[in-house]
Amino acid sequence: MYPRGREIVLGITGGISAYKSCDLLRRLQDLGFLITVVPTQSSLNFVGRSTWEALSGRQVPTDLWNNVHQVPHISLAKSADAIIIAPATADVMAKAAAGIADDLLTNIILAASVPLIFVPAMHTEMWNNAATQANVQLLRTRGHQVVEPDSGKLTSGDVGVGRYPQSSKIIDCLSATMRSRADLHGLSILISAGGTREAIDPVRYIGNHSSGRQGYALAYAAIVRGAKVTLVAANSALADIEGVETIHVTSALEMQAALMERFDQADVVIMSAAVADVRPANASAAKISKSDLTAISLTENPDITKELSKRKGNQIMIGFAAQTAVSLDEGLKLATTKLQEKGLDVIYFNDVSGGAIFGSDRTQGVILTAQGQKYEFADGPKMTLANKLLDLVLDKLG
Ligand code: CTP
């Protein structure tokens, strides 16, 4: 399986803020994007080719006349799901507006039929120049994105508009752009994330180490790909995702109620939350004093996934199986049993021993389907796994 919607061409043009695109590249990689950097010759005066090669882990094409037999500008334009030009000089925007193609990057821009995102960064006078503004207007009229530069201190020491914006602003623009071309459009996806907390008293609880990262990655990937997403999040410190309806819950019972209420409207349900299997039988309304806290009697929580499965219509249901210190064979056997007993269509098995997965942006494990398919997921970003699971959903829907 290959993650769809993930290939980005990152064009770098000749501005001092080219170094800020190193951070942008890293942030995009954290989200599971695969990046080919295409710097212009003049930009290499600011950040060299080796930096881009090391950061992207890929060859860095700069010249139209290398590997001509592979027609690099056409193959790069076709393989990309989006093209970001950051920083974008007034010059590259003028060329794009006029249809001039005199180097590799401008040829790619001219050949591309995917979203183009320009991230201008330049001195205020150049940004405000009537020619630049006319070109920006023209690019926008043609459906391309031009991110508004920030205001603040510029390289010359002047203060004004023209600063390279925060990476997050560029990523928001990319997300919104890709959403409108997305392959999950029309699907309603319900996701649980985080770890539930079961009150012992008003101060203490039984909980687990789940950070919610996998569930949030799923929600982000699904919204970018055009789905309607509802996230039931338990105790995650992560920020809400724009466009995702997020319901914050604390305990397993609250999570169950929130999911049950929304289950019938969902086409896909993904249970990535770590649900506490038990809760204190009688949570105390007042803080229990240390001397009385010698034992906690427990009662079982409902298995939310099993309960949801009982109401299953056409929903595709995906679960997670976390194990520790088991052999791969044993782990897969346990995961297969969970898949069957919980009425799931897909389960992702991962060994969470030693805190290796909780709290991390990366994961590794095995995807199993009810039809007996098995896909290994070698160490990679949780966002990439999220996209692979969503690809599977699409395959299942035909
Ligand atoms: N799950 C659930 N309700 C529970 C416990 C787990 O819906 N009370 C879901 C989880 O969200 C996950 C899947 O079931 O998708 C497997 O969870 P896991 O903790 O691996 O398994 P358990 O069923 O809790 O079994 P065990 O703790 O014995 O491994």
Side-chain angles (χ1 to χ4, degrees), residues 271-273 275-277 301-305 319-323 338 342:
M271 286 294 299
S272 71
V275 184
D277 295 309
N301 267 331
D303 186 313
I304 302 177
T305 309
F320 281 70
Q323 304 294 156
K338 284 182 189 176
K342 290 173 192 263

Side-chain angles (χ1 to χ4, degrees), residues 7-13 36-40 59-66 70-85 92 95-96 99-118 144:
E7 280 285 340
I8 304 271
V9 164
L10 178 58
I12 314 286
T13 64
T36 303
V37 182
V38 181
T40 59
Q59 279 194 344
V60 171
T62 52
D63 194 341
L64 198 54
W65 305 110
N66 282 340
Q70 291 172 344
V71 202
H73 61 294
I74 300 297
S75 56
L76 282 164
K78 276 193 177 154
S79 66
D81 295 295
I83 297 174
I84 303 176
I85 298 108
V92 80
K95 283 179 180 162
I100 294 171
D102 60 358
D103 64 4
L104 180 57
L105 182 61
T106 45
N107 273 272
I108 293 171
I109 290 172
L110 201 57
S113 55
V114 294
L116 284 175
I117 298 171
F118 293 88
H144 304 313

Side-chain angles (χ1 to χ4, degrees), residues 42-381:
S42 57
S43 80
L44 295 174
N45 290 310
F46 295 107
V47 179
R49 177 203 292 258
S50 343
T51 303
W52 296 123
E53 272 179 5
L55 291 178
S56 70
R58 287 183 166 184
Q59 279 194 344
V60 171
T62 52
D63 194 341
L64 198 54
W65 305 110
N66 282 340
N67 302 317
V68 174
H69 63 290
Q70 291 172 344
V71 202
H73 61 294
I74 300 297
S75 56
L76 282 164
K78 276 193 177 154
S79 66
D81 295 295
I83 297 174
I84 303 176
I85 298 108
T89 55
D91 178 67
V92 80
M93 290 192 293
K95 283 179 180 162
I100 294 171
D102 60 358
D103 64 4
L104 180 57
L105 182 61
T106 45
N107 273 272
I108 293 171
I109 290 172
L110 201 57
S113 55
V114 294
L116 284 175
I117 298 171
F118 293 88
V119 183
M122 64 197 72
H123 210 262
T124 310
E125 281 78 3
M126 294 175 80
W127 172 249
N128 286 337
N129 183 284
T132 306
Q133 286 302 310
N135 289 330
V136 167
Q137 195 56 37
L138 185 54
L139 291 170
R140 285 181 174 154
T141 317
R142 289 185 188 145
H144 304 313
Q145 302 299 317
V146 182
V147 178
E148 281 299 316
D150 281 355
S151 283
K153 201 165 166 220
L154 303 166
T155 316
S156 58
D158 293 346
V159 174
V161 70
R163 271 171 69 89
Y164 187 109
Q166 299 274 318
S167 297
S168 58
K169 187 166 161 187
I170 303 167
I171 289 169
D172 283 350
C173 176
L174 174 70
S175 308
T177 309
M178 292 185 89
R179 207 176 298 165
S180 60
R181 303 167 41 91
D183 53 0
L184 298 178
H185 197 76
L187 282 184
S188 181
I189 304 190
L190 180 60
I191 300 169
S192 72
T196 66
R197 289 179 185 172
E198 313 300 325
I200 298 168
D201 64 19
V203 180
R204 309 178 180 93
Y205 60 83
I206 298 174
N208 60 66
H209 291 298
S210 175
S211 64
R213 281 174 203 273
Q214 186 61 69
Y216 275 69
L218 279 156
Y220 181 82
I223 195 90
V224 164
R225 290 170 66 167
K228 178 178 173 298
V229 184
T230 304
L231 181 67
V232 177
N235 311 301
S236 173
L238 299 171
D240 286 0
I241 301 166
E242 206 194 314
V244 172
E245 183 201 6
T246 305
I247 295 127
H248 294 278
V249 296
T250 305
S251 66
L253 292 180
E254 283 173 26
M255 174 168 277
Q256 181 185 30
L259 290 168
M260 281 289 184
E261 200 182 317
R262 291 160 181 87
F263 183 75
D264 293 340
Q265 291 82 48
D267 302 298
V268 181
V269 178
I270 309 180
M271 286 294 299
S272 71
V275 184
D277 295 309
V278 291
R279 66 178 184 275
N282 302 300
S284 169
K287 187 184 170 194
I288 306 169
S289 71
K290 183 166 61 178
S291 53
D292 294 333
L293 201 59
T294 48
I296 303 166
S297 86
L298 300 172
T299 186
E300 206 175 322
N301 267 331
D303 186 313
I304 302 177
T305 309
K306 264 191 199 166
E307 294 304 314
L308 294 174
S309 284
K310 285 182 194 161
R311 294 195 12 201
K312 190 171 169 184
N314 292 324
Q315 285 94 346
I316 293 176
M317 289 186 62
I318 301 181
F320 281 70
Q323 304 294 156
T324 58
V326 287
S327 68
L328 182 60
D329 277 354
E330 186 61 20
L332 292 178
K333 232 191 267 169
L334 288 167
T336 306
T337 308
K338 284 182 189 176
L339 175 107
Q340 290 162 349
E341 287 182 349
K342 290 173 192 263
L344 294 165
D345 299 285
V346 177
I347 198 160
Y348 176 68
F349 160 70
N350 59 163
D351 188 331
V352 296
S353 303
I357 308 270
F358 284 133
S360 163
D361 281 320
R362 301 181 75 82
T363 179
Q364 75 184 99
V366 181
I367 302 169
L368 301 172
T369 72
Q371 287 71 39
Q373 292 145 310
K374 180 174 148 192
Y375 306 100
E376 277 181 35
F377 185 81
D379 177 49

